[in-house]
Amino acid sequence: MKERREKIGLLPDELGRKRDDLFKKYSIKVNIEPRAVMLINTPAVKVLYSIFIRKTRKNVFLTYNPVTRALDPLVCQGCGKSITSIYFCDDLHLLCSICSKKCPLC
Ligand SMILES: [Zn+2]
Ligand SMILES: [Zn+2]
């Protein structure tokens, strides 16, 4: 009975060793390297908008993005964020609503 209990007590150790052996035996090393790069080039349409602000003309380019099938949003000249609502300061800087309160460029 005592012998049996000792044997049972040794089982977790043995199991651990067996598992390590199997791990060593069947482990494979995989090296992954990039083999090809794909450059996707799509035509885009640039649309020139002329905006008149207090009789002054301001040209704004909008890009039609064929991937999203929409016009790319403009970029605030003050903070660089994408904008869908545009504002202009007295010097006609293109701004977002936050920058329009105090133009960072003027
Ligand atoms: Zn801004
Ligand atoms: Zn300004």
Side-chain angles (χ1 to χ4, degrees):
M1 200 60 181
K2 200 187 159 213
E3 209 179 295
R4 211 177 185 185
R5 237 180 256 140
E6 275 172 10
K7 266 193 182 165
I8 290 169
L10 289 172
L11 280 176
D13 282 352
E14 206 176 315
L15 189 72
R17 248 178 285 128
K18 279 227 168 91
R19 198 184 44 211
D20 289 349
D21 277 354
L22 286 171
F23 189 74
K24 274 178 215 149
K25 219 179 199 172
Y26 294 106
S27 289
I28 50 163
K29 197 179 173 209
V30 181
N31 288 319
I32 300 171
E33 282 174 35
R35 283 287 172 214
V37 175
M38 201 194 299
L39 176 71
I40 300 170
N41 217 334
T42 56
V45 180
K46 264 197 162 183
V47 188
L48 172 68
Y49 282 83
S50 286
I51 305 167
F52 285 90
I53 308 145
R54 284 177 242 124
K55 289 179 189 166
T56 313
R57 194 170 78 170
K58 167 95 177 170
N59 289 335
V60 175
F61 276 103
L62 282 160
T63 308
Y64 176 77
N65 186 331
V67 178
T68 59
R69 292 185 183 179
L71 291 168
D72 279 344
L74 289 164
V75 175
C76 170
Q77 287 185 289
C79 65
K81 277 194 197 134
S82 295
I83 44 173
T84 47
S85 299
I86 59 172
Y87 297 83
F88 292 97
C89 68
D90 292 340
D91 273 11
L92 304 186
H93 291 125
L94 183 70
L95 302 166
C96 68
S97 65
I98 296 160
C99 293
S100 70
K101 282 166 194 149
K102 205 208 164 296
C103 177
L105 299 162
C106 289

